[in-house]
Amino acid sequence: MRAYRLACLATTLVVAVPTMALAEMRAEVLHWWTSGGESAAVGVFAKQFEQAGGTWVDSAIAGGQAARTAGINRIVGGNPPTAMQFNTGKQFDELVANGLLASLEEAATAQNWREVLPPALVTATTRDDKFYAVPVNIHGINWLWYNKKLFDEAGIQEPATWPEVVAAGQKLAEAGLVGLAQGGQPWQERTLFNAVLVGHGGTELFYRIYREGDQEAVESDGFRATADLFRELQRLTDEGSPGRNWNDATAMVLTGKAGMQVMGDWAKGEFAAAGQKPGEDFGCTIIGEGGYLMGGDMFVFPAAGQEEATPAQVALAEVMFAPETQVAFNQIKGSVPSRLDVDVSGMDACAQKGAAALKDPARQVPTTEMLISPDLSGALDDVITQFWNNPSMTTDEFVQRFVGAMQAAG
Amino acid sequence: MAVSTLATASQPARQHRRRRGLAATIALIPLAVVVVVVYLGCMLWTVRLSFSSSKLLPVLDWVGVQQYDRLFANERFTVSAINIGIFGVLFIGGCLVLGFLLAVFIDQRIRAEGVFRTLFLFPHAMSFVVTGLAWQWFLNPTLGLQKLVRDAGFPSFTFDWLVNQEMVIYTLVIAGVWQAAGLVMAILLAGLRGVDEDLWKAARIDGIPPWRVYLSIVLPLIGPMIVTATVLLAVQVVKLYDLVVAMTRGGPGIASEVPAKFVMDHFFERNNIGLATAAATMMLVTVVAALAPWIYARYIRAAGRQP
């Protein structure tokens, strides 16, 4: 099967090369992967693209927000980069609506993107049934990382439900440790809240709120139970939590100051950098029966007033989507490949756990970035962070404000 | 006075001056165009966008005051507005008082004056981002001062303003005053040094205590310096953003949010240009409202009084 697909790719390349050689195969790629591991990962794309005969022009801007702003300004100003990074989701809706992006539909059909991607990623990268972006990875957002040594000493088993997480945290607190290491920034509080919502409230409730915008679902018992658990988790954190960065929280777990942290799979990089091994020094698990919250990155291909992508853009998209590129890239990046048909046996234990979870379509749950607008997401962040940081706010008030934010941001 | 010199000037000198005036006018045209197009134009463009439904890209439809309705119903904006008020009053007041005291201290012709001057002005050479980070570490209850004192044998010592929703805005004031007081000192010291020595001698002969001289004679004399310092500080208050981002990121919760951060977040992170420009317009209106009486008193009324 794989050989067949490779053969297909080779044929496409052979057929395409003469025409592509005429056009200049130069690609300026705008992205925000500037840290050590990240730029090593993006180097995989550059190497593969150059092997395919292209010239890679690296345009890295530190910080996702700054990079997106710069890219959008260039697109609107008529001087767009060849390709530009976004988080998988709704961030590029208006660019498509205004005809500022090129469609990748031809390349996608040729390479069978629809069949190898999880349906949620197809939805996130297509508009009007046409591909406008190439998804390069899947980040798991709702992992629970825990310190194995501390768990063994306190005689705690790997928790499977959120109430068990709370119980484990209380046990750790009795031993004088921090139960839950939490970075106190709104996006991290949102991450934790959504992890509890999908793991305890259930996938169906998650979809009713974020996909259907059902305000009655916010008033349901499941949502209230989630809010109460979220409050319990808050009591397990230390007072240094507000403002803390995510990697400082991870450091608390790996140095044995705290027992657990809920964070995306990029936290694995911190454990690896400290020389710790998954399954031996630290454990990773997804709590609850519900979903594996999928985030990730993708590239769009700006083209003012032009429907289809240029040869350089098509070639770049195909290179980024190729199975060997995705495995090599994601091994460095810490995420898992966006296509489900690749061999992940060479990746680490946690990545394999994640890839296994993704095999079950029922567990492929898109993160809120794919379901709601940045505007609504930000408005909800304000509400979640107020609830988390203000112990005197009741669950009723929280529900009321959550609904209010949904109405205001529409 | 200008009129009388012109009338008595000789013919060639007048021509020369007129030609020079023309050259100056031509040289100033680009600047004038920039001011009108860039500053005024952007301002009007911002106000216009605040009445549209713009999200990620600017669009020019008309939705009336819808964005303002949402803005004033938004608790985060209300908190931001209150915070900037608290910060503004305490920061400007604190800087002026502390800066004046430091200037008076240095004005006593102390030894190693240069060292102290450098020391006091040093924080101002650092950006707000660095200041913020340093203070964040210092005030963090599990890393900084509180841990230090507790480890030294006072386990009940508590200083958790940074993570306390009620107090967090005051920690921003502390960091801000620490950073900017040195600048005020430098400006006021220049003023103090400009005060005539004879005044001091006269006051000494009359037996007036020094504090009284500072309060009743020197302070009014350096009034323009104080105004300059206040204007500089006020600018820092309005654009307060980096200190908040570095120190608290608006947290805990939304307790230390400020209007400039509200605008930036909605512009760039939340793809909501409409709401961001509405908030920016509110900032503009506030600044204009604060400046209007001053501009009126200083320029319009003063110009009207001239013959």
Side-chain angles (χ1 to χ4, degrees):
Chain A
M1 187 68 187
R2 195 169 163 231
Y4 165 75
R5 214 168 261 122
L6 276 176
C8 278
L9 182 67
T11 323
T12 327
L13 281 178
V14 167
V15 175
V17 156
T19 46
M20 285 194 298
L22 294 173
E24 200 191 353
M25 284 272 283
R26 188 175 169 282
E28 192 204 340
V29 183
L30 195 151
H31 61 88
W32 60 77
W33 285 322
T34 48
S35 82
E38 286 173 344
S39 66
V42 82
V44 171
F45 290 148
K47 204 178 106 223
Q48 298 278 2
F49 185 60
E50 273 166 10
Q51 270 175 12
T55 312
W56 175 279
V57 183
D58 201 78
S59 194
I61 297 174
Q65 188 188 328
R68 279 196 296 274
T69 309
I72 290 167
N73 279 343
R74 282 184 57 183
I75 292 171
V76 175
N79 173 32
T82 316
M84 178 188 163
Q85 183 189 359
F86 273 102
N87 288 120
T88 314
K90 287 194 166 295
Q91 287 165 348
F92 70 115
D93 270 9
E94 276 185 63
L95 295 179
V96 176
N98 286 281
L100 295 169
L101 295 185
S103 155
L104 296 165
E105 188 52 37
E106 233 170 89
T109 318
Q111 277 185 306
N112 270 332
W113 290 14
R114 275 190 181 74
E115 268 124 73
V116 297
L117 286 171
L121 282 198
V122 176
T123 313
T125 48
T126 54
R127 299 288 180 274
D128 296 329
D129 211 30
K130 275 186 181 170
F131 272 94
Y132 281 96
V134 47
V136 294
N137 61 358
I138 299 173
H139 273 299
I141 307 294
N142 56 337
W143 286 97
L144 178 90
W145 310 91
Y146 59 89
N147 186 314
K148 263 211 132 119
K149 192 165 143 268
L150 295 184
F151 267 46
D152 290 344
E153 279 170 7
I156 307 171
Q157 299 293 314
E158 179 176 285
T161 65
W162 281 104
E164 281 177 36
V165 174
V166 173
Q170 281 161 352
K171 233 175 183 177
L172 290 163
E174 278 162 27
L177 295 158
V178 178
L180 183 73
Q182 175 69 20
Q185 293 162 354
W187 71 271
Q188 299 188 55
E189 289 150 7
R190 173 221 306 156
T191 300
L192 179 63
F193 181 77
N194 286 336
V196 182
L197 183 61
V198 81
H200 192 74
T203 316
E204 196 201 335
L205 183 66
F206 185 87
Y207 280 138
R208 272 179 69 195
I209 292 170
Y210 288 124
R211 188 191 272 162
E212 288 149 38
D214 181 355
Q215 291 166 12
E216 276 169 30
V218 181
E219 282 154 8
S220 69
D221 291 340
F223 188 87
R224 283 168 192 276
T226 300
D228 292 340
L229 261 172
F230 190 56
R231 171 65 76 219
E232 295 277 317
L233 288 166
Q234 195 269 333
R235 299 203 176 103
L236 298 174
T237 61
D238 63 316
E239 63 173 343
S241 163
R244 181 183 284 147
N245 288 318
W246 68 267
N247 49 336
D248 293 332
T250 312
M252 289 172 69
V253 177
L254 67 86
T255 54
K257 282 200 191 83
M260 304 177 278
Q261 185 195 12
V262 176
M263 187 41 56
D265 48 21
W266 46 88
K268 205 164 53 186
E270 299 290 308
F271 288 104
Q276 300 202 346
K277 293 212 162 34
E280 289 173 32
D281 305 297
F282 68 94
C284 53
T285 179
I286 292 167
I287 302 295
E289 289 302 305
Y292 181 91
L293 283 179
M294 301 184 296
D297 303 282
M298 62 184 192
F299 282 87
V300 300
F301 298 84
Q306 163 193 345
E307 250 301 276
E308 291 297 319
T310 64
Q313 291 176 324
V314 171
L316 185 60
E318 286 178 348
V319 163
M320 283 174 164
F321 202 69
E324 56 279 6
T325 319
Q326 290 228 343
V327 171
F329 170 80
N330 284 299
Q331 249 163 353
I332 306 176
K333 187 74 173 66
S335 39
V336 298
S338 64
R339 48 194 301 169
L340 300 173
D341 63 333
V342 294
D343 180 19
V344 292
S345 57
M347 303 184 84
D348 67 76
C350 291
Q352 290 194 30
K353 227 176 184 178
L358 283 173
K359 291 278 181 226
D360 178 2
R363 298 193 70 185
Q364 300 165 359
V365 183
T367 171
T368 49
E369 272 172 338
M370 299 193 204
L371 299 173
I372 58 178
S373 69
D375 185 20
L376 175 56
S377 174
L380 294 178
D381 279 0
D382 287 344
V383 176
I384 294 170
T385 190
Q386 273 176 283
F387 181 60
W388 175 264
N389 285 289
N390 185 356
S392 62
M393 194 193 282
T394 62
T395 304
D396 282 334
E397 275 175 286
F398 175 55
V399 166
Q400 192 192 329
R401 282 174 200 227
F402 202 95
V403 172
M406 285 169 88
Q407 280 165 350
Chain B
M1 169 124 140
V3 175
S4 66
T5 27
L6 258 181
T8 53
S10 63
Q11 195 71 11
R14 204 186 304 166
Q15 260 180 3
H16 178 68
R17 193 171 295 134
R18 200 174 295 153
R19 211 175 303 132
R20 224 174 45 182
L22 187 70
T25 313
I26 292 172
L28 277 175
I29 284 177
L31 180 73
V33 170
V34 167
V35 167
V36 170
V37 174
V38 178
Y39 289 80
L40 218 60
C42 283
M43 229 181 258
L44 292 175
W45 178 242
T46 304
V47 175
R48 171 67 186 85
L49 281 180
S50 71
F51 293 103
S52 74
S53 67
S54 304
K55 291 280 188 184
L56 173 69
L57 304 171
V59 290
L60 284 179
D61 57 349
W62 185 269
V63 295
V65 292
Q66 196 182 306
Q67 302 286 6
Y68 291 90
D69 282 344
R70 189 177 158 193
L71 188 68
F72 289 119
N74 190 323
E75 194 185 351
R76 179 167 156 189
F77 187 73
T78 325
V79 170
S80 301
I82 295 170
N83 277 347
I84 200 77
I86 297 175
F87 182 87
V89 170
L90 294 181
F91 171 75
I92 295 179
C95 282
L96 287 178
V97 170
L98 191 64
F100 180 67
L101 291 179
L102 288 176
V104 168
F105 166 67
I106 285 192
D107 196 37
Q108 307 308 306
R109 311 274 169 201
I110 49 163
R111 210 178 293 166
E113 182 193 312
V115 176
F116 280 104
R117 221 168 29 196
T118 315
L119 209 64
F120 293 148
L121 200 53
F122 183 68
H124 199 73
M126 291 195 283
S127 73
F128 259 152
V129 173
V130 179
T131 307
L133 267 183
W135 278 90
Q136 190 205 341
W137 290 330
F138 181 64
L139 295 173
N140 186 306
T142 52
L143 294 174
L145 182 67
Q146 178 178 314
K147 183 171 166 9
L148 196 79
V149 178
R150 281 190 184 179
D151 288 351
F154 301 93
S156 58
F157 177 80
T158 303
F159 187 74
D160 62 351
W161 282 16
L162 190 70
V163 297
N164 182 325
Q165 291 200 311
E166 303 288 316
M167 304 306 289
V168 65
I169 187 69
Y170 302 106
T171 64
L172 291 178
V173 173
I174 294 173
V177 168
W178 177 80
Q179 204 242 12
L183 175 77
V184 178
M185 175 212 75
I187 296 171
L188 294 190
L189 184 61
L192 290 182
R193 289 284 151 86
V195 174
D196 196 342
E197 269 302 307
D198 290 344
L199 272 177
W200 281 105
K201 282 182 193 148
R204 218 168 292 138
I205 289 166
D206 285 347
I208 304 169
W211 67 267
R212 193 64 213 269
V213 181
Y214 273 118
L215 220 58
S216 306
I217 301 173
V218 176
L219 262 185
L221 275 177
I222 60 169
M225 302 286 189
I226 294 175
V227 172
T228 308
T230 311
V231 169
L232 286 177
L233 294 173
V235 170
Q236 289 197 4
V237 171
V238 174
K239 65 176 192 186
L240 177 68
Y241 171 75
D242 31 13
L243 183 68
V244 178
V245 170
M247 242 174 113
T248 64
R249 288 185 189 240
I254 56 167
S256 60
E257 292 288 350
V258 289
K261 185 163 175 290
F262 186 94
V263 173
M264 295 292 273
D265 281 359
H266 285 79
F267 245 120
F268 299 118
E269 214 163 71
R270 302 188 172 181
N271 295 0
N272 196 343
I273 292 179
L275 194 61
T277 48
T281 306
M282 286 319 299
M283 286 174 72
L284 176 72
V285 167
T286 315
V287 170
V288 169
L291 280 183
W294 182 69
I295 291 176
Y296 175 75
R298 183 127 174 87
Y299 296 104
I300 300 172
R301 217 175 59 179
R305 235 188 279 136
Q306 266 171 11

